[in-house]
Amino acid sequence: MAAAVCLACCLFCGQAELLAENASSAYREVRRLIDEGRYTDAERLIGAQLQQHLSDPVGIGVLALILDFEGRHGEAEVCFQKGLRMAPDSIFLLNNLGRHYVSLKRFPEARDAFAKALALDASNAFALLELAQLDLNIGKPGTALDYLNRLPGSVAEQSTTVLLRARALHLSGDDTTAANLLDKMEASGPSRASLYFSAGLLLAECRRYREAQRAFVRALDADPASFNIQYNLGVASAEAGDLDRAREIFEHALARRSDDVDCMLQLALVYQQKLDFDRSLPILMRATVLAPKRLDILAAIAFATEKLGMYGDTAQAWDRYLQIQPDDDIARREKGFALASGDDHPEKGLEDLRWFQRKHPQDVKGLYELAIAEAVEQPDRALEHLNTAVQEKPDSLPARYARASLEYQDGKLQQAEEDAEYVVKSAPDNVRAITLLARIDLRANHAERALKSLAEG
């Protein structure tokens, strides 16, 4: 549809002089047929027109557009080149040749065509927009903004242009200005569902999930039947922490498409955020039957089963994951921790955890998990690993809590108290840390402080 818009723009914005005077009504009819998707009829009509005006380069360009719409790209390019030999300075032909190359992903040739069109008319809005989009696609937001800043006001204020500018600002790291632009666009009045949807996606990229929710709601109001909009509204709601709404959205979506694996995964993840792993797991098991090689589903199963204390199932999930992605060191580490936490093959788990620690000696979670696995049989080595972990990441609460527990067992009460206090201050609702701190205080004959800790907790 973009090429049809370009056709309308170029025919009625400065290029009409290339049309034969007696052909204007025929070209208007061709445009109408293109807009209706009646490409065969449009080709027949433009062909008849060209028989009367053999040297009309715009007519040849219009035929090229129609051939592109029909997927006959080789014939279209021949027509474009023929037209340009007749009128090498035709902005109409250069603009649409550029779009032809974009559709074929021949981006350097597209850029060359648009640059030539822009050299002929520095205010050529279509070329400016296309060059901006090309630069955004290759991660050059600065030059994209330069092109967008050259647009005339009427074009610069259009919603599609605002979206491009917001994306360029986002890629430049200015998410606040990008989100403000999108907010203004949304507040400007009614718009197409596709524009609200695009705005929602970009707001989500900027991590402005509440605003993304609002944009998706407006998109869904404009297009209630869109499953894609509904799905993304659910994702944005979950990211915004609106978990009950996200659950309802995904459940409703699954009522429409009961075998949609992405919806199943998202619903399961919502339940995991709600710490309802019992409900999450059956959904994930159904999803993995439909998509047995989806790594994200297998990872979610591993997480849920670990939280439920089903370590054998956790190890099995990671094993299936590693069969598909054997070079994933993190997955091997997690499989090792699951095995070390269970009763079946703890020695194999320790082997994997030690392998990982040798390969990634500064990885904090690896050090923590190895320490937990070694804590009973080799507490001194476990404490060494935890010391390294805290040195690497002083705010690691799991490592701090585990170290406090081992220090308490070893009678190092002052060190244990420091670690436990750090955890309690950072996570005041951590009941285990509060209890540990009280036990440390009791053992150090600080009964009043222990009672105070328990009372405040």
Side-chain angles (χ1 to χ4, degrees):
M1 203 58 197
V5 172
C6 178
L7 169 63
C9 171
C10 293
L11 287 181
F12 298 100
C13 295
Q15 296 302 309
E17 72 276 2
L18 292 177
L19 294 172
E21 286 294 329
N22 61 357
S24 59
S25 62
Y27 278 99
R28 284 196 294 271
E29 178 65 11
V30 169
R31 178 189 172 191
R32 184 183 68 80
L33 292 171
I34 289 174
D35 288 342
E36 293 176 358
R38 295 167 59 186
Y39 303 132
T40 302
D41 292 338
E43 182 184 353
R44 186 182 302 112
L45 182 56
I46 198 65
Q49 188 64 39
L50 285 171
Q51 286 180 354
Q52 300 176 39
H53 304 278
L54 297 176
S55 300
D56 178 8
V58 172
I60 294 172
V62 172
L63 176 60
L65 278 174
I66 296 168
L67 292 170
D68 257 344
F69 287 138
E70 293 179 318
R72 296 154 63 184
H73 303 300
E75 297 174 66
E77 187 164 347
V78 170
C79 286
F80 279 127
Q81 298 296 353
K82 180 180 178 181
L84 283 168
R85 285 194 295 271
M86 296 178 184
D89 293 341
S90 168
I91 294 175
F92 167 73
L93 290 168
L94 288 168
N95 275 349
N96 286 289
L97 177 62
R99 281 302 305 159
H100 164 82
Y101 286 136
V102 167
S103 69
L104 297 177
K105 302 188 186 306
R106 293 162 59 179
F107 300 122
E109 292 162 288
R111 181 180 296 278
D112 183 60
F114 291 129
K116 287 178 181 177
L118 196 59
L120 293 167
D121 178 7
S123 63
N124 181 345
F126 189 84
L128 288 167
L129 287 168
E130 290 293 335
L131 286 167
Q133 183 66 72
L134 286 170
D135 277 353
L136 285 178
N137 290 345
I138 59 173
K140 297 173 68 175
T143 53
L145 283 170
D146 289 340
Y147 287 124
L148 294 171
N149 289 336
R150 293 165 58 183
L151 288 167
S154 59
V155 179
E157 294 170 3
Q158 291 176 2
S159 296
T160 50
T161 308
V162 172
L163 281 172
L164 277 180
R165 184 180 296 279
R167 183 162 190 82
L169 288 165
H170 164 59
L171 293 175
S172 300
D174 190 353
D175 285 350
T176 300
T177 307
N180 289 339
L181 272 179
L182 295 171
D183 285 343
K184 289 179 182 178
M185 186 192 82
E186 184 184 347
S188 64
S191 188
R192 299 195 307 271
S194 60
L195 289 174
Y196 283 128
F197 179 67
S198 297
L201 292 176
L202 186 49
L203 284 163
E205 281 188 43
C206 296
R207 300 183 182 278
R208 303 284 288 266
Y209 298 113
R210 288 290 180 186
E211 293 95 328
Q213 263 187 296
R214 188 170 63 242
F216 288 133
V217 165
R218 296 194 70 172
L220 199 60
D221 287 342
D223 185 6
S226 173
F227 185 86
N228 199 22
I229 296 173
Q230 184 179 24
Y231 172 84
N232 281 279
L233 173 58
V235 173
S237 299
E239 292 287 356
D242 196 348
L243 299 181
D244 288 331
R245 186 179 189 188
R247 176 184 56 77
E248 291 176 2
I249 291 167
F250 288 126
E251 286 177 348
H252 185 262
L254 281 170
R256 294 175 62 189
R257 294 187 186 177
S258 60
D259 60 348
D260 190 283
V261 173
D262 289 315
C263 270
M264 291 181 198
L265 174 61
Q266 292 300 327
L267 179 58
L269 293 177
V270 167
Y271 277 124
Q272 290 191 2
Q273 285 182 262
K274 292 168 70 69
L275 304 181
D276 193 344
F277 300 102
D278 285 314
R279 290 193 181 183
S280 172
L281 188 55
I283 299 169
L284 291 168
M285 297 307 294
R286 182 177 166 219
T288 198
V289 171
L290 295 171
K293 294 186 177 182
R294 280 278 295 263
L295 297 179
D296 48 0
I297 295 173
L298 291 170
I301 290 172
F303 183 76
T305 51
E306 181 185 357
K307 291 298 181 181
L308 291 169
M310 302 162 59
Y311 300 115
D313 293 305
T314 305
Q316 186 179 59
W318 285 123
D319 189 57
R320 287 176 59 194
Y321 183 107
L322 287 163
Q323 289 174 18
I324 302 166
Q325 193 73 35
D327 297 329
D328 191 325
D329 291 355
I330 300 298
R332 182 171 173 183
R333 182 194 72 195
E334 292 304 303
K335 177 188 174 185
F337 187 59
L339 288 170
S341 301
D343 298 325
D344 294 337
H345 302 286
E347 71 288 347
K348 290 184 179 178
L350 268 172
E351 182 181 326
D352 279 340
L353 290 171
R354 286 168 179 159
W355 168 87
F356 182 88
Q357 194 270 331
R358 287 193 298 271
K359 190 172 181 180
H360 305 277
Q362 309 306 122
D363 183 87
V364 172
K365 191 169 184 183
L367 289 163
Y368 164 77
E369 291 181 347
L370 178 57
I372 296 300
E374 290 183 337
V376 175
E377 299 293 334
Q378 298 175 294
D380 292 339
R381 286 188 61 179
L383 194 55
E384 288 177 15
H385 296 318
L386 292 170
N387 286 336
T388 305
V390 173
Q391 183 179 354
E392 290 294 321
K393 193 172 187 291
D395 60 348
S396 172
L397 300 188
R400 287 268 196 171
Y401 174 81
R403 188 169 74 169
S405 297
L406 288 178
E407 289 165 338
Y408 169 74
Q409 292 174 21
D410 200 29
K412 300 173 181 177
L413 300 184
Q414 182 177 348
Q415 298 96 313
E417 186 173 48
E418 289 175 3
D419 277 330
E421 282 183 342
Y422 183 94
V423 177
V424 171
K425 286 179 181 178
S426 302
D429 296 329
N430 189 324
V431 176
R432 294 174 65 199
I434 293 169
T435 303
L436 176 60
L437 180 58
R439 290 169 63 193
I440 294 167
D441 284 335
L442 284 172
R443 190 168 173 182
N445 296 318
H446 299 147
E448 289 185 8
R449 185 161 34 171
L451 290 171
K452 182 180 178 183
S453 296
L454 290 172
E456 290 178 352

PDB file of all heavy atoms in Angstrom, residues 1 159-160 163 182 185 190-202 215-224 226 228-229 232:
ATOM      1  N   MET A   1       0.829  -1.202   0.000  1.00  0.00           N
ATOM      2  CA  MET A   1       0.000   0.000   0.000  1.00  0.00           C
ATOM      3  C   MET A   1       0.863   1.252   0.000  1.00  0.00           C
ATOM      4  O   MET A   1       0.471   2.304  -0.469  1.00  0.00           O
ATOM      5  CB  MET A   1      -0.906  -0.002   1.220  1.00  0.00           C
ATOM      6  CG  MET A   1      -2.144   0.858   1.050  1.00  0.00           C
ATOM      7  SD  MET A   1      -3.136   0.346  -0.342  1.00  0.00           S
ATOM      8  CE  MET A   1      -4.143   1.768  -0.586  1.00  0.00           C
ATOM      9  N   SER A 159       1.164  11.150  11.999  1.00  0.00           N
ATOM     10  CA  SER A 159       1.391  10.117  13.013  1.00  0.00           C
ATOM     11  C   SER A 159       2.509   9.155  12.622  1.00  0.00           C
ATOM     12  O   SER A 159       3.328   8.767  13.462  1.00  0.00           O
ATOM     13  CB  SER A 159       0.101   9.327  13.249  1.00  0.00           C
ATOM     14  OG  SER A 159      -0.898  10.160  13.784  1.00  0.00           O
ATOM     15  N   THR A 160       2.563   8.771  11.346  1.00  0.00           N
ATOM     16  CA  THR A 160       3.621   7.836  10.924  1.00  0.00           C
ATOM     17  C   THR A 160       4.996   8.462  11.085  1.00  0.00           C
ATOM     18  O   THR A 160       5.956   7.781  11.460  1.00  0.00           O
ATOM     19  CB  THR A 160       3.400   7.426   9.459  1.00  0.00           C
ATOM     20  OG1 THR A 160       3.214   8.611   8.664  1.00  0.00           O
ATOM     21  CG2 THR A 160       2.197   6.529   9.311  1.00  0.00           C
ATOM     22  N   LEU A 163       5.959   8.485  14.767  1.00  0.00           N
ATOM     23  CA  LEU A 163       6.437   7.160  15.164  1.00  0.00           C
ATOM     24  C   LEU A 163       7.899   6.960  14.790  1.00  0.00           C
ATOM     25  O   LEU A 163       8.694   6.432  15.569  1.00  0.00           O
ATOM     26  CB  LEU A 163       5.582   6.067  14.513  1.00  0.00           C
ATOM     27  CG  LEU A 163       4.240   5.777  15.166  1.00  0.00           C
ATOM     28  CD1 LEU A 163       3.437   4.819  14.294  1.00  0.00           C
ATOM     29  CD2 LEU A 163       4.439   5.171  16.554  1.00  0.00           C
ATOM     30  N   LEU A 182       4.944  10.096  21.750  1.00  0.00           N
ATOM     31  CA  LEU A 182       3.880   9.120  21.549  1.00  0.00           C
ATOM     32  C   LEU A 182       2.637   9.484  22.357  1.00  0.00           C
ATOM     33  O   LEU A 182       1.510   9.278  21.895  1.00  0.00           O
ATOM     34  CB  LEU A 182       4.381   7.719  21.916  1.00  0.00           C
ATOM     35  CG  LEU A 182       5.505   7.184  21.030  1.00  0.00           C
ATOM     36  CD1 LEU A 182       6.070   5.894  21.594  1.00  0.00           C
ATOM     37  CD2 LEU A 182       5.018   6.957  19.607  1.00  0.00           C
ATOM     38  N   MET A 185       0.855  12.126  20.456  1.00  0.00           N
ATOM     39  CA  MET A 185       0.193  11.559  19.289  1.00  0.00           C
ATOM     40  C   MET A 185      -1.106  10.879  19.696  1.00  0.00           C
ATOM     41  O   MET A 185      -2.140  11.040  19.057  1.00  0.00           O
ATOM     42  CB  MET A 185       1.109  10.540  18.600  1.00  0.00           C
ATOM     43  CG  MET A 185       0.558   9.993  17.294  1.00  0.00           C
ATOM     44  SD  MET A 185       1.486   8.561  16.693  1.00  0.00           S
ATOM     45  CE  MET A 185       0.754   7.247  17.668  1.00  0.00           C
ATOM     46  N   PRO A 190      -8.625  10.616  17.260  1.00  0.00           N
ATOM     47  CA  PRO A 190      -8.765   9.288  16.664  1.00  0.00           C
ATOM     48  C   PRO A 190      -7.651   8.991  15.680  1.00  0.00           C
ATOM     49  O   PRO A 190      -7.142   9.872  14.994  1.00  0.00           O
ATOM     50  CB  PRO A 190     -10.125   9.376  15.947  1.00  0.00           C
ATOM     51  CG  PRO A 190     -10.828  10.507  16.607  1.00  0.00           C
ATOM     52  CD  PRO A 190      -9.774  11.474  16.999  1.00  0.00           C
ATOM     53  N   SER A 191      -7.251   7.745  15.626  1.00  0.00           N
ATOM     54  CA  SER A 191      -6.211   7.323  14.699  1.00  0.00           C
ATOM     55  C   SER A 191      -6.434   5.865  14.340  1.00  0.00           C
ATOM     56  O   SER A 191      -7.324   5.209  14.857  1.00  0.00           O
ATOM     57  CB  SER A 191      -4.832   7.511  15.333  1.00  0.00           C
ATOM     58  OG  SER A 191      -3.814   7.276  14.397  1.00  0.00           O
ATOM     59  N   ARG A 192      -5.606   5.353  13.446  1.00  0.00           N
ATOM     60  CA  ARG A 192      -5.764   3.971  12.999  1.00  0.00           C
ATOM     61  C   ARG A 192      -5.236   3.004  14.053  1.00  0.00           C
ATOM     62  O   ARG A 192      -4.296   3.311  14.795  1.00  0.00           O
ATOM     63  CB  ARG A 192      -5.016   3.747  11.690  1.00  0.00           C
ATOM     64  CG  ARG A 192      -5.508   4.621  10.553  1.00  0.00           C
ATOM     65  CD  ARG A 192      -4.986   4.101   9.220  1.00  0.00           C
ATOM     66  NE  ARG A 192      -3.550   3.928   9.210  1.00  0.00           N
ATOM     67  CZ  ARG A 192      -2.688   4.879   8.874  1.00  0.00           C
ATOM     68  NH1 ARG A 192      -3.120   6.091   8.591  1.00  0.00           N
ATOM     69  NH2 ARG A 192      -1.393   4.636   8.862  1.00  0.00           N
ATOM     70  N   ALA A 193      -5.833   1.813  14.069  1.00  0.00           N
ATOM     71  CA  ALA A 193      -5.387   0.787  15.017  1.00  0.00           C
ATOM     72  C   ALA A 193      -3.915   0.488  14.820  1.00  0.00           C
ATOM     73  O   ALA A 193      -3.174   0.271  15.791  1.00  0.00           O
ATOM     74  CB  ALA A 193      -6.229  -0.481  14.842  1.00  0.00           C
ATOM     75  N   SER A 194      -3.452   0.460  13.566  1.00  0.00           N
ATOM     76  CA  SER A 194      -2.056   0.112  13.290  1.00  0.00           C
ATOM     77  C   SER A 194      -1.095   1.120  13.914  1.00  0.00           C
ATOM     78  O   SER A 194      -0.014   0.749  14.385  1.00  0.00           O
ATOM     79  CB  SER A 194      -1.823   0.034  11.776  1.00  0.00           C
ATOM     80  OG  SER A 194      -2.106   1.272  11.162  1.00  0.00           O
ATOM     81  N   LEU A 195      -1.485   2.399  13.947  1.00  0.00           N
ATOM     82  CA  LEU A 195      -0.610   3.409  14.537  1.00  0.00           C
ATOM     83  C   LEU A 195      -0.566   3.278  16.057  1.00  0.00           C
ATOM     84  O   LEU A 195       0.503   3.365  16.659  1.00  0.00           O
ATOM     85  CB  LEU A 195      -1.081   4.805  14.143  1.00  0.00           C
ATOM     86  CG  LEU A 195      -0.850   5.189  12.672  1.00  0.00           C
ATOM     87  CD1 LEU A 195      -1.487   6.527  12.368  1.00  0.00           C
ATOM     88  CD2 LEU A 195       0.645   5.222  12.364  1.00  0.00           C
ATOM     89  N   TYR A 196      -1.705   3.055  16.681  1.00  0.00           N
ATOM     90  CA  TYR A 196      -1.701   2.829  18.124  1.00  0.00           C
ATOM     91  C   TYR A 196      -0.920   1.567  18.476  1.00  0.00           C
ATOM     92  O   TYR A 196      -0.205   1.516  19.484  1.00  0.00           O
ATOM     93  CB  TYR A 196      -3.132   2.719  18.653  1.00  0.00           C
ATOM     94  CG  TYR A 196      -3.840   4.030  18.775  1.00  0.00           C
ATOM     95  CD1 TYR A 196      -5.094   4.230  18.214  1.00  0.00           C
ATOM     96  CD2 TYR A 196      -3.253   5.097  19.460  1.00  0.00           C
ATOM     97  CE1 TYR A 196      -5.752   5.447  18.322  1.00  0.00           C
ATOM     98  CE2 TYR A 196      -3.896   6.313  19.576  1.00  0.00           C
ATOM     99  CZ  TYR A 196      -5.147   6.485  19.005  1.00  0.00           C
ATOM    100  OH  TYR A 196      -5.791   7.681  19.120  1.00  0.00           O
ATOM    101  N   PHE A 197      -1.058   0.549  17.636  1.00  0.00           N
ATOM    102  CA  PHE A 197      -0.330  -0.697  17.879  1.00  0.00           C
ATOM    103  C   PHE A 197       1.175  -0.448  17.794  1.00  0.00           C
ATOM    104  O   PHE A 197       1.944  -0.887  18.661  1.00  0.00           O
ATOM    105  CB  PHE A 197      -0.761  -1.750  16.866  1.00  0.00           C
ATOM    106  CG  PHE A 197      -0.051  -3.073  17.028  1.00  0.00           C
ATOM    107  CD1 PHE A 197      -0.255  -3.851  18.144  1.00  0.00           C
ATOM    108  CD2 PHE A 197       0.826  -3.522  16.052  1.00  0.00           C
ATOM    109  CE1 PHE A 197       0.392  -5.072  18.303  1.00  0.00           C
ATOM    110  CE2 PHE A 197       1.475  -4.736  16.194  1.00  0.00           C
ATOM    111  CZ  PHE A 197       1.265  -5.512  17.325  1.00  0.00           C
ATOM    112  N   SER A 198       1.611   0.257  16.751  1.00  0.00           N
ATOM    113  CA  SER A 198       3.035   0.566  16.606  1.00  0.00           C
ATOM    114  C   SER A 198       3.530   1.410  17.777  1.00  0.00           C
ATOM    115  O   SER A 198       4.632   1.189  18.295  1.00  0.00           O
ATOM    116  CB  SER A 198       3.284   1.297  15.289  1.00  0.00           C
ATOM    117  OG  SER A 198       2.945   0.483  14.184  1.00  0.00           O
ATOM    118  N   ALA A 199       2.705   2.365  18.204  1.00  0.00           N
ATOM    119  CA  ALA A 199       3.080   3.190  19.350  1.00  0.00           C
ATOM    120  C   ALA A 199       3.219   2.328  20.607  1.00  0.00           C
ATOM    121  O   ALA A 199       4.155   2.513  21.397  1.00  0.00           O
ATOM    122  CB  ALA A 199       2.039   4.279  19.571  1.00  0.00           C
ATOM    123  N   GLY A 200       2.310   1.381  20.786  1.00  0.00           N
ATOM    124  CA  GLY A 200       2.388   0.490  21.939  1.00  0.00           C
ATOM    125  C   GLY A 200       3.660  -0.333  21.943  1.00  0.00           C
ATOM    126  O   GLY A 200       4.320  -0.488  22.978  1.00  0.00           O
ATOM    127  N   LEU A 201       4.032  -0.862  20.775  1.00  0.00           N
ATOM    128  CA  LEU A 201       5.262  -1.646  20.677  1.00  0.00           C
ATOM    129  C   LEU A 201       6.478  -0.806  21.034  1.00  0.00           C
ATOM    130  O   LEU A 201       7.381  -1.256  21.754  1.00  0.00           O
ATOM    131  CB  LEU A 201       5.416  -2.215  19.262  1.00  0.00           C
ATOM    132  CG  LEU A 201       4.418  -3.292  18.838  1.00  0.00           C
ATOM    133  CD1 LEU A 201       4.644  -3.680  17.384  1.00  0.00           C
ATOM    134  CD2 LEU A 201       4.519  -4.528  19.731  1.00  0.00           C
ATOM    135  N   LEU A 202       6.497   0.427  20.542  1.00  0.00           N
ATOM    136  CA  LEU A 202       7.642   1.295  20.818  1.00  0.00           C
ATOM    137  C   LEU A 202       7.684   1.712  22.285  1.00  0.00           C
ATOM    138  O   LEU A 202       8.758   1.750  22.903  1.00  0.00           O
ATOM    139  CB  LEU A 202       7.578   2.521  19.912  1.00  0.00           C
ATOM    140  CG  LEU A 202       8.777   3.473  19.967  1.00  0.00           C
ATOM    141  CD1 LEU A 202      10.098   2.723  19.831  1.00  0.00           C
ATOM    142  CD2 LEU A 202       8.661   4.509  18.868  1.00  0.00           C
ATOM    143  N   ALA A 215      -1.976   2.460  24.891  1.00  0.00           N
ATOM    144  CA  ALA A 215      -1.945   2.476  23.424  1.00  0.00           C
ATOM    145  C   ALA A 215      -2.571   1.207  22.850  1.00  0.00           C
ATOM    146  O   ALA A 215      -3.343   1.259  21.881  1.00  0.00           O
ATOM    147  CB  ALA A 215      -0.510   2.633  22.937  1.00  0.00           C
ATOM    148  N   PHE A 216      -2.252   0.063  23.450  1.00  0.00           N
ATOM    149  CA  PHE A 216      -2.822  -1.195  22.954  1.00  0.00           C
ATOM    150  C   PHE A 216      -4.339  -1.251  23.176  1.00  0.00           C
ATOM    151  O   PHE A 216      -5.066  -1.824  22.355  1.00  0.00           O
ATOM    152  CB  PHE A 216      -2.142  -2.393  23.618  1.00  0.00           C
ATOM    153  CG  PHE A 216      -0.741  -2.642  23.154  1.00  0.00           C
ATOM    154  CD1 PHE A 216       0.285  -2.882  24.063  1.00  0.00           C
ATOM    155  CD2 PHE A 216      -0.432  -2.662  21.806  1.00  0.00           C
ATOM    156  CE1 PHE A 216       1.578  -3.123  23.646  1.00  0.00           C
ATOM    157  CE2 PHE A 216       0.866  -2.901  21.363  1.00  0.00           C
ATOM    158  CZ  PHE A 216       1.868  -3.131  22.290  1.00  0.00           C
ATOM    159  N   VAL A 217      -4.801  -0.674  24.276  1.00  0.00           N
ATOM    160  CA  VAL A 217      -6.246  -0.637  24.523  1.00  0.00           C
ATOM    161  C   VAL A 217      -6.939   0.155  23.418  1.00  0.00           C
ATOM    162  O   VAL A 217      -7.979  -0.264  22.882  1.00  0.00           O
ATOM    163  CB  VAL A 217      -6.551  -0.030  25.909  1.00  0.00           C
ATOM    164  CG1 VAL A 217      -8.024   0.343  26.021  1.00  0.00           C
ATOM    165  CG2 VAL A 217      -6.189  -1.024  27.015  1.00  0.00           C
ATOM    166  N   ARG A 218      -6.365   1.290  23.059  1.00  0.00           N
ATOM    167  CA  ARG A 218      -6.970   2.104  22.002  1.00  0.00           C
ATOM    168  C   ARG A 218      -6.892   1.386  20.656  1.00  0.00           C
ATOM    169  O   ARG A 218      -7.809   1.488  19.840  1.00  0.00           O
ATOM    170  CB  ARG A 218      -6.284   3.471  21.936  1.00  0.00           C
ATOM    171  CG  ARG A 218      -6.483   4.289  23.205  1.00  0.00           C
ATOM    172  CD  ARG A 218      -6.117   5.739  23.022  1.00  0.00           C
ATOM    173  NE  ARG A 218      -7.082   6.419  22.146  1.00  0.00           N
ATOM    174  CZ  ARG A 218      -7.072   7.733  21.949  1.00  0.00           C
ATOM    175  NH1 ARG A 218      -6.179   8.487  22.562  1.00  0.00           N
ATOM    176  NH2 ARG A 218      -7.952   8.293  21.147  1.00  0.00           N
ATOM    177  N   ALA A 219      -5.792   0.669  20.427  1.00  0.00           N
ATOM    178  CA  ALA A 219      -5.692  -0.105  19.188  1.00  0.00           C
ATOM    179  C   ALA A 219      -6.753  -1.195  19.148  1.00  0.00           C
ATOM    180  O   ALA A 219      -7.382  -1.439  18.110  1.00  0.00           O
ATOM    181  CB  ALA A 219      -4.295  -0.719  19.073  1.00  0.00           C
ATOM    182  N   LEU A 220      -6.983  -1.845  20.302  1.00  0.00           N
ATOM    183  CA  LEU A 220      -7.976  -2.904  20.360  1.00  0.00           C
ATOM    184  C   LEU A 220      -9.394  -2.344  20.225  1.00  0.00           C
ATOM    185  O   LEU A 220     -10.261  -2.993  19.630  1.00  0.00           O
ATOM    186  CB  LEU A 220      -7.837  -3.677  21.684  1.00  0.00           C
ATOM    187  CG  LEU A 220      -8.469  -5.071  21.740  1.00  0.00           C
ATOM    188  CD1 LEU A 220      -7.860  -5.992  20.692  1.00  0.00           C
ATOM    189  CD2 LEU A 220      -8.287  -5.679  23.121  1.00  0.00           C
ATOM    190  N   ASP A 221      -9.622  -1.149  20.747  1.00  0.00           N
ATOM    191  CA  ASP A 221     -10.925  -0.502  20.552  1.00  0.00           C
ATOM    192  C   ASP A 221     -11.193  -0.271  19.069  1.00  0.00           C
ATOM    193  O   ASP A 221     -12.333  -0.392  18.604  1.00  0.00           O
ATOM    194  CB  ASP A 221     -10.971   0.836  21.291  1.00  0.00           C
ATOM    195  CG  ASP A 221     -11.075   0.658  22.802  1.00  0.00           C
ATOM    196  OD1 ASP A 221     -11.448  -0.448  23.244  1.00  0.00           O
ATOM    197  OD2 ASP A 221     -10.762   1.619  23.539  1.00  0.00           O
ATOM    198  N   ALA A 222     -10.122   0.090  18.335  1.00  0.00           N
ATOM    199  CA  ALA A 222     -10.268   0.346  16.900  1.00  0.00           C
ATOM    200  C   ALA A 222     -10.362  -0.937  16.090  1.00  0.00           C
ATOM    201  O   ALA A 222     -10.939  -0.954  15.002  1.00  0.00           O
ATOM    202  CB  ALA A 222      -9.101   1.193  16.400  1.00  0.00           C
ATOM    203  N   ASP A 223      -9.782  -2.027  16.626  1.00  0.00           N
ATOM    204  CA  ASP A 223      -9.791  -3.307  15.900  1.00  0.00           C
ATOM    205  C   ASP A 223      -9.990  -4.447  16.907  1.00  0.00           C
ATOM    206  O   ASP A 223      -9.052  -5.163  17.250  1.00  0.00           O
ATOM    207  CB  ASP A 223      -8.479  -3.475  15.132  1.00  0.00           C
ATOM    208  CG  ASP A 223      -8.457  -4.727  14.255  1.00  0.00           C
ATOM    209  OD1 ASP A 223      -9.509  -5.401  14.154  1.00  0.00           O
ATOM    210  OD2 ASP A 223      -7.401  -5.040  13.678  1.00  0.00           O
ATOM    211  N   PRO A 224     -11.225  -4.637  17.402  1.00  0.00           N
ATOM    212  CA  PRO A 224     -11.482  -5.615  18.476  1.00  0.00           C
ATOM    213  C   PRO A 224     -11.174  -7.050  18.092  1.00  0.00           C
ATOM    214  O   PRO A 224     -10.983  -7.896  18.970  1.00  0.00           O
ATOM    215  CB  PRO A 224     -12.986  -5.443  18.756  1.00  0.00           C
ATOM    216  CG  PRO A 224     -13.345  -4.121  18.168  1.00  0.00           C
ATOM    217  CD  PRO A 224     -12.442  -3.907  17.009  1.00  0.00           C
ATOM    218  N   SER A 226      -8.538  -8.161  16.528  1.00  0.00           N
ATOM    219  CA  SER A 226      -7.110  -8.424  16.352  1.00  0.00           C
ATOM    220  C   SER A 226      -6.547  -9.254  17.503  1.00  0.00           C
ATOM    221  O   SER A 226      -6.453  -8.782  18.639  1.00  0.00           O
ATOM    222  CB  SER A 226      -6.331  -7.115  16.231  1.00  0.00           C
ATOM    223  OG  SER A 226      -4.937  -7.380  16.224  1.00  0.00           O
ATOM    224  N   ASN A 228      -3.423 -10.258  17.612  1.00  0.00           N
ATOM    225  CA  ASN A 228      -2.076  -9.765  17.852  1.00  0.00           C
ATOM    226  C   ASN A 228      -2.070  -8.603  18.836  1.00  0.00           C
ATOM    227  O   ASN A 228      -1.224  -8.527  19.738  1.00  0.00           O
ATOM    228  CB  ASN A 228      -1.437  -9.340  16.526  1.00  0.00           C
ATOM    229  CG  ASN A 228       0.071  -9.250  16.611  1.00  0.00           C
ATOM    230  OD1 ASN A 228       0.692  -9.862  17.466  1.00  0.00           O
ATOM    231  ND2 ASN A 228       0.660  -8.471  15.733  1.00  0.00           N
ATOM    232  N   ILE A 229      -3.032  -7.699  18.674  1.00  0.00           N
ATOM    233  CA  ILE A 229      -3.126  -6.574  19.608  1.00  0.00           C
ATOM    234  C   ILE A 229      -3.474  -7.084  21.003  1.00  0.00           C
ATOM    235  O   ILE A 229      -2.895  -6.661  22.004  1.00  0.00           O
ATOM    236  CB  ILE A 229      -4.181  -5.555  19.135  1.00  0.00           C
ATOM    237  CG1 ILE A 229      -3.762  -4.930  17.805  1.00  0.00           C
ATOM    238  CG2 ILE A 229      -4.393  -4.468  20.186  1.00  0.00           C
ATOM    239  CD1 ILE A 229      -4.828  -4.040  17.180  1.00  0.00           C
ATOM    240  N   ASN A 232      -0.385  -8.612  22.702  1.00  0.00           N
ATOM    241  CA  ASN A 232       0.587  -7.620  23.153  1.00  0.00           C
ATOM    242  C   ASN A 232       0.055  -6.784  24.314  1.00  0.00           C
ATOM    243  O   ASN A 232       0.836  -6.336  25.162  1.00  0.00           O
ATOM    244  CB  ASN A 232       1.009  -6.726  21.988  1.00  0.00           C
ATOM    245  CG  ASN A 232       2.039  -7.402  21.101  1.00  0.00           C
ATOM    246  OD1 ASN A 232       3.220  -7.404  21.413  1.00  0.00           O
ATOM    247  ND2 ASN A 232       1.579  -7.997  20.010  1.00  0.00           N
TER     248      ASN A 232
END
